[in-house]
């Protein structure tokens, strides 16, 4: 069942989204050579808690941290560690969520640690832009797969691939709600979009093949061929016009 949010509920989701976006920005600003992923995780937790919210990920399904921090060929769900020290050239994926007022926000970005290769820089840019290509179709009357198809078409046109095993999702009172929002597929299929639906649209893009493996820790997802991956995500609301990005700070989106 898909939860359609009221105006009052959307206002609460804006509050959750803003805090989530603040945590994403703080984490992104902290990325530098010599910094550990655990240090970034602690910054995320502090930012969220000082705003009066709770980290959505902490304890979720047993996850041990406040942020998922994935490096290089790690796609998503990387567990922060004091032993993981960032180096120049790393691609750092930061995925955060905040819970306040009964609702969650969810967003992610990929940050270059110092100077990175031209391919890595282009991978970041294509992944971010694929999100915007997708949400051109996040409007009443379109279907979920219209978003999916637009993401896939843009990514593949640029020579990269989209992950199939993990997808975007509805978000609201629960961190993961219906419907699923894949980053691939044919247009014109799936749930029809309605005003008041709130979705986490999150392209996960690989430089090589789309296949991934989950590590023995049960969380960390890596590209099967060991090539780089990037991730970008925002929580959006379907309106009677253009979609609204809820994970924004005073209208600005990282």
């Amino acid at each position: 069942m898909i939860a359609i949010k009221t105006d009052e509920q959307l206002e609460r989701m804006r509050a959750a989204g803003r805090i989530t976006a603040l945590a994403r920005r703080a984490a992104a600003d902290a990325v530098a050579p010599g910094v550990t992923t655990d240090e970034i995780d602690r910054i995320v937790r502090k930012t969220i808690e000082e705003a009066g919210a709770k980290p959505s990920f902490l304890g979720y399904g047993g996850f041990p941290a406040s942020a998922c921090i994935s490096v290089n060929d790690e796609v998503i769900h990387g567990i922060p560690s004091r032993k993981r020290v960032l180096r120049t050239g790393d691609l750092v994926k930061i995925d955060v969520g905040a819970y306040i007022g009964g609702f969650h926000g969810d967003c992610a970005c990929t940050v270059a640690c110092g100077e990175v290769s031209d391919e890595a820089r282009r991978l970041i840019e294509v992944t971010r832009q694929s999100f915007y290509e997708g949400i051109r179709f996040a409007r009443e009357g379109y279907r979920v797969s219209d978003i999916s198809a637009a993401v896939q078409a843009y990514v593949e046109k640029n020579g990269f691939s989209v992950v199939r095993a993990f997808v975007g999702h509805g978000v609201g009172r629960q961190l993961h709600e219906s419907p699923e929002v894949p980053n691939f597929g044919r247009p014109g299929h799936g749930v029809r979009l309605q005003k008041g639906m709130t979705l986490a649209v999150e392209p996960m893009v690989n430089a090589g093949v789309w296949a991934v493996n989950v590590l023995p820790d049960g969380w960390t997802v890596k590209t099967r061929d060991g090539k780089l991956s990037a991730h970008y995500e925002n929580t959006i609301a379907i309106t009677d016009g253009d979609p609204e990005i809820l994970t924004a700070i005073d209208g600005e989106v990282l």
Side-chain angles (χ1 to χ4, degrees):
M1 183 175 179
I2 297 172
I4 303 299
K5 285 32 173 222
T6 65
D7 289 345
E8 188 271 337
Q9 290 170 337
L10 284 171
E11 195 58 38
R12 293 191 189 190
M13 289 199 66
R14 289 185 189 98
R18 185 176 189 278
I19 294 168
T20 308
L22 286 169
R24 175 174 59 180
R25 177 182 287 178
D29 288 346
V31 170
V35 174
T36 69
T37 55
D38 177 73
E39 288 177 275
I40 296 173
D41 180 69
R42 285 189 275 118
I43 288 169
V44 167
R45 182 170 183 173
K46 181 180 179 182
T47 301
I48 292 171
E49 292 182 342
E50 286 185 348
K54 296 180 180 179
S56 298
F57 298 174
L58 186 60
Y60 183 81
F63 191 75
S66 298
C68 298
I69 304 178
S70 311
V71 182
N72 295 333
D73 62 336
E74 296 170 352
V75 183
I76 51 172
H77 300 165
I79 300 173
S81 170
R82 294 178 183 176
K83 297 180 180 179
R84 189 62 181 265
V85 181
L86 298 181
R87 299 177 180 177
T88 298
D90 284 342
L91 281 196
V92 185
K93 281 130 281 181
I94 300 162
D95 191 356
V96 300
Y99 178 76
I100 190 170
F103 290 88
H104 294 270
D106 191 5
C107 65
C109 66
T110 301
V111 182
C113 184
E115 291 298 317
V116 298
S117 68
D118 289 343
E119 180 189 47
R121 181 71 62 183
R122 195 166 72 85
L123 180 63
I124 293 173
E125 292 170 354
V126 168
T127 303
R128 186 179 189 277
Q129 184 58 34
S130 72
F131 164 84
Y132 287 97
E133 295 295 321
I135 68 166
R136 289 170 51 217
F137 299 91
R139 302 172 68 96
E140 276 197 298
Y142 284 94
R143 294 185 182 273
V144 166
S145 71
D146 295 325
I147 299 173
S148 309
V151 170
Q152 181 180 14
Y154 184 78
V155 168
E156 293 181 352
K157 180 179 73 174
N158 282 278
F160 300 128
S161 62
V162 291
V163 171
R164 298 330 197 244
F166 297 88
V167 298
H169 51 91
V171 59
R173 290 193 181 277
Q174 305 298 321
L175 183 58
H176 292 92
E177 297 182 348
S178 294
E180 290 190 341
V181 186
N183 297 302
F184 61 95
R186 294 181 297 138
H189 292 77
V191 173
R192 195 174 294 279
L193 301 175
Q194 301 176 52
K195 180 181 178 181
M197 291 174 64
T198 48
L199 308 173
V201 178
E202 52 176 320
M204 291 157 270
V205 179
N206 295 346
V209 300
W210 55 261
V212 298
N213 292 323
V214 180
L215 297 190
D217 65 18
W219 287 103
T220 308
V221 178
K222 298 184 74 170
T223 59
R224 190 167 295 177
D225 59 8
K227 293 187 177 181
L228 294 173
S229 185
H231 182 203
Y232 186 76
E233 174 186 23
N234 282 299
T235 300
I236 67 167
I238 306 300
T239 73
D240 54 7
D242 292 334
E244 178 185 355
I245 297 178
L246 300 176
T247 40
I249 304 169
D250 301 327
E252 295 186 3
V253 184
L254 184 65

